[in-house]
Amino acid sequence: MSEENTKEEKSDWSKRELGALWRVDGQKQSYYSGSIKDSEGKDVKIVCFPNSFKEKGSNQPDIRIYASKETE
């Protein structure tokens, strides 16, 4: 793979990137925290938790995403 192709791929990934998440190991459970860009390009802070109500073999999501509460 040439250096030019690598730069094009990175540029394509950069254009499609919506945000990033970090794993947080809490006292009761682990979760992910970070931000994503909305359709207007504004950052929205989010948290993601495993779906504790998922039943084995069901079509329910593995992870639930929530908007973070604003801290004072």
Side-chain angles (χ1 to χ4, degrees):
M1 180 181 291
S2 74
E3 187 175 321
E4 186 175 309
N5 286 345
T6 304
K7 287 181 182 177
E8 285 179 26
E9 285 181 25
K10 287 182 182 178
S11 175
D12 183 47
W13 280 106
S14 295
K15 289 177 187 175
R16 295 188 294 153
E17 183 176 344
L18 296 176
L21 299 172
W22 287 263
R23 183 183 169 125
V24 179
D25 292 320
Q27 290 181 342
K28 295 183 180 182
Q29 69 178 12
S30 296
Y31 62 96
Y32 291 90
S33 176
S35 64
I36 58 172
K37 294 190 185 305
D38 66 10
S39 60
E40 297 174 354
K42 296 178 185 175
D43 279 339
V44 177
K45 293 182 180 183
I46 61 170
V47 291
C48 306
F49 295 96
N51 183 0
S52 58
F53 299 107
K54 181 174 174 112
E55 297 173 5
K56 194 169 189 167
S58 73
N59 196 22
Q60 296 171 335
D62 295 314
I63 297 173
R64 307 292 292 191
I65 302 171
Y66 302 94
S68 291
K69 287 185 176 179
E70 293 294 323
T71 56
E72 297 178 13

